[in-house]
Amino acid sequence: MTPTGYVRLMLLAATALGGAALPQAQAQQPAANRVLRVAPHADLRTLDPVVASILVTRMHGTMIYETLFSWDAQLNPQPQMVDRFEASPDNLTWTFRLREGLRFHDGQPVTSRDVVASLSRWMARDTVGSKLREYTASLDVVDDRSFVLKLKRPHGAVPFSLGSAVGQIPAIMRESDARTEPTTPVTNTIGSGPFRFNRDAWRPGALVVYDRNADYVPRNEPANGMAGGRVVKLDRVEWHIMPDPATAAAALQTGEIDIWEQPAQDLIPVLQRARGIQVEKYTTNQAMLRPNHLFPPFNDPRARLAMAYLVNQPDALTAGVGDEQWWTACGSYFVCGSPNGTAVGSDAYAQPNVETARRLLAESGYRGERVVLMTTNDIPAIGRMAEVAAAALREGGMNIDLQFQDWGAVTTRQPKKDPPDQGGWNLFVTFASGATMQSPITNIGTNMACDRAWAGWPCDEEAERLRNAYVEAVGDEARQKALEALHLRLTAMQPYRLLGQFNQPYARRANITGLLPGSVMTFWNVEKQ
């Protein structure tokens, strides 16, 4: 039987049997149209969004916590917990005032002391936060609702950073929680956001429950991305953990769940044909082939340029994602279509050039040594893209050792700096959200700060100088000039080979409305008819 036939059989069986009964959160449930049931992409294991940067923890964090600013649908920062703010003419002193009505779930008011403690902890953990900390001279409480950030030198993206929805988010916690060591997870779940975490109903591996925070006071503005008024129109949101794609597809068709956050790519055609199901774009992801800059051959930029000339984006995307309606080739490290989506300097790599690649490899000193490309089939798109990359690199004369492992083993191996013949690696394929990659401030792959960079450890003093120039640029014209100079340098240094970008769809039942595009899936503004 074909995979598609098997899925159809599963769907028919689930329909006939009514599906397996889902666990109940509590004996007493709100009305059915006031409970939203979601199948998230992963189980919730870590509750602290300042310790963990994984997506499911960020989703959890945005349910129960808030940030000072929030990114709208165009990824521009808008005030969220902040009522008003101002910057001094020299851009070095930023004064903020919190809006009225902010209270934690235990009834305590949110104060500037909570904010200062929370931001200090976040700055010690997050890429965006640590960059802001480099520029920070002091962060002080003025009164219960006001605080002042003083900078050593101008930083052109303070509100953007304070509203970050990627990496470890700058969630505002109670001061007592925020005093926890930055590497120690906070286990309390007392935020000030529109939902409360229902700890009594939580069953790891099966069920996560959030109840509407009846005391929450939303902003008056219309909802826009993650910004604006977070008006909750449900009594409860339940996350039902369904790691098996066929089970999730069947549950969506029978109405046992209302939303499947990240449907498997090979099941999308089945869902698109199913009655009462809508499949729609939600987020954009960037795919990449990441080299290890510590060891030959990719410690030499000529070998990385050869990689760029060999690996073709449409080939990788077709293999990994399939239908072209879901993907696009893109030469921008900062995501085509984003506010920073310049592709300057990338034209040369739009089409393969095997002859040029072979010449560059020879000039780099490569002589056929084994190159370890670690990958996985746990995430099928990653495995298929890795196979395409391996074939292209072999065509250019590289001796590729393609090693398949489970995804957990790949992620455990990523941080290791051992030589490739001693358990290390040379290459891997991965994805990152467009929201993460769309800015030089948040893009983890273009950080070329040597030991302080993400796995792969690219090291280029000039790229870091240009990245700081972007951070310090004030005004659209200065920022665009700095952006293009940085992008030109990155295309010459190739911190990773861009494999293009693709849209991650979600699937919902037709009676669900109001989902907002954003950096993570959120559930305020959502209605169930």
Side-chain angles (χ1 to χ4, degrees):
M1 181 179 293
T2 65
T4 300
Y6 173 75
V7 170
R8 286 177 177 159
L9 182 61
M10 288 290 292
L11 295 177
L12 289 171
T15 302
L17 296 174
L22 295 176
Q24 297 297 307
Q26 289 181 347
Q28 290 226 304
Q29 288 276 344
N33 68 340
R34 302 285 294 178
V35 179
L36 186 74
R37 297 179 173 90
V38 180
H41 69 282
D43 187 21
L44 177 68
R45 296 290 184 178
T46 304
L47 301 176
D48 185 349
V50 179
V51 163
S53 63
I54 55 178
L55 176 57
V56 72
T57 296
R58 272 188 282 137
M59 289 173 59
H60 160 80
T62 59
M63 295 287 280
I64 66 171
Y65 296 107
E66 287 197 285
T67 52
L68 298 172
F69 292 79
S70 292
W71 294 348
D72 63 21
Q74 289 72 45
L75 302 178
N76 295 314
Q78 306 296 341
Q80 188 60 43
M81 299 180 80
V82 165
D83 177 33
R84 59 181 183 270
F85 68 101
E86 62 180 6
S88 61
D90 61 6
N91 209 46
L92 294 178
T93 301
W94 292 74
T95 304
F96 304 88
R97 185 164 180 81
L98 298 172
R99 64 186 179 96
E100 294 184 4
L102 296 175
R103 289 192 174 275
F104 289 110
H105 299 156
D106 63 358
Q108 295 182 44
V110 179
T111 72
S112 298
R113 292 184 299 279
D114 303 304
V115 170
V116 169
S118 296
L119 292 183
S120 298
R121 183 169 184 260
W122 167 70
M123 287 180 182
R125 286 290 300 168
D126 180 62
T127 298
V128 179
S130 62
K131 176 57 69 174
L132 182 58
R133 184 172 64 172
E134 289 179 24
Y135 289 75
T136 297
S138 62
L139 178 61
D140 297 309
V141 171
V142 175
D143 57 38
D144 280 352
R145 290 177 54 200
S146 301
F147 61 98
V148 174
L149 172 67
K150 292 186 177 181
L151 304 178
K152 302 171 187 175
R153 56 189 191 275
H155 185 298
V158 171
F160 177 86
S161 300
L162 296 178
S164 177
V166 300
Q168 287 100 340
I169 62 174
I172 303 304
M173 301 180 173
R174 299 178 301 182
E175 182 182 15
S176 58
D177 295 329
R179 295 296 180 192
T180 305
E181 285 295 318
T183 57
T184 301
V186 169
T187 56
N188 292 322
T189 51
I190 304 299
S192 63
F195 291 95
R196 298 171 183 257
F197 180 69
N198 189 328
R199 188 177 289 271
D200 291 340
W202 181 33
R203 295 211 289 278
L207 182 66
V208 186
V209 176
Y210 301 91
D211 296 318
R212 181 175 68 90
N213 177 13
D215 298 325
Y216 178 75
V217 179
R219 295 186 68 89
N220 290 325
E221 301 93 345
N224 181 353
M226 299 188 71
R230 299 181 174 183
V231 178
V232 177
K233 302 178 181 181
L234 304 158
D235 290 332
R236 178 172 295 170
V237 176
E238 298 177 356
W239 293 359
H240 293 269
I241 311 306
M242 296 182 172
D244 177 62
T247 301
L252 183 67
Q253 248 207 338
T254 59
E256 295 176 79
I257 60 170
D258 303 301
I259 296 173
W260 188 6
E261 183 221 351
Q262 289 190 19
Q265 290 284 345
D266 56 353
L267 295 185
I268 288 172
V270 176
L271 296 174
Q272 288 175 315
R273 292 191 295 269
R275 179 178 298 178
I277 304 297
Q278 299 290 325
V279 179
E280 298 171 337
K281 171 192 170 181
Y282 192 74
T283 60
T284 295
N285 290 328
Q286 184 186 90
M288 71 182 83
L289 177 62
R290 180 69 161 185
N292 190 332
H293 295 240
L294 297 180
F295 302 103
F298 299 115
N299 60 338
D300 191 306
R302 291 168 294 188
R304 301 195 299 270
L305 289 173
M307 174 183 65
Y309 278 118
L310 288 170
V311 181
N312 185 35
Q313 288 192 9
D315 291 345
L317 291 164
T318 299
V321 181
D323 195 322
E324 193 172 354
Q325 69 169 309
W326 298 111
W327 61 261
T328 182
C330 171
S332 175
Y333 279 106
F334 304 119
V335 183
C336 293
S338 81
N340 297 299
T342 181
V344 62
S346 66
D347 288 348
Y349 315 110
Q351 298 293 330
N353 190 326
V354 177
E355 182 180 345
T356 299
R358 287 179 177 271
R359 174 179 57 79
L360 286 165
L361 278 174
E363 291 175 1
S364 74
Y366 179 71
R367 298 294 183 268
E369 294 84 357
R370 184 173 68 107
V371 174
V372 175
L373 199 173
M374 61 176 182
T375 193
T376 186
N377 277 326
D378 290 356
I379 305 172
I382 285 180
R384 293 193 292 260
M385 284 188 174
E387 290 185 275
V388 167
L393 294 170
R394 286 170 181 146
E395 185 179 359
M398 300 193 76
N399 176 16
I400 300 297
D401 179 7
L402 186 61
Q403 299 182 4
F404 284 90
Q405 301 174 281
D406 63 77
W407 183 239
V410 171
T411 56
T412 300
R413 194 173 171 185
Q414 280 178 10
K416 293 184 177 179
K417 295 183 178 181
D418 302 320
D421 59 356
Q422 298 177 28
W425 55 273
N426 294 109
L427 293 164
F428 67 87
V429 171
T430 194
F431 311 144
S433 72
T436 299
M437 308 307 275
Q438 58 87 32
S439 168
I441 298 171
T442 59
N443 186 308
I444 57 175
T446 57
N447 178 343
M448 300 191 73
C450 310
D451 285 345
R452 292 182 289 114
W454 176 54
W457 308 282
C459 190
D460 185 69
E461 184 177 338
E462 178 63 6
E464 284 304 287
R465 184 188 71 79
L466 292 169
R467 190 162 72 99
N468 285 337
Y470 173 89
V471 172
E472 295 170 16
V474 177
D476 292 343
E477 184 177 348
R479 190 174 296 113
Q480 185 65 25
K481 183 178 179 180
L483 175 71
E484 293 183 0
L486 171 60
H487 203 272
L488 277 171
R489 182 65 180 180
L490 293 172
T491 58
M493 291 294 102
Q494 290 289 321
Y496 57 91
R497 170 53 174 155
L498 275 165
L499 298 181
Q501 59 195 53
F502 64 94
N503 295 325
Q504 173 62 55
Y506 75 99
R508 62 173 172 85
R509 294 191 62 80
N511 64 330
I512 304 302
T513 60
L515 274 162
L516 297 164
S519 306
V520 300
M521 184 170 284
T522 56
F523 302 103
W524 53 82
N525 200 58
V526 175
E527 292 185 89
K528 184 176 180 179
Q529 305 299 325

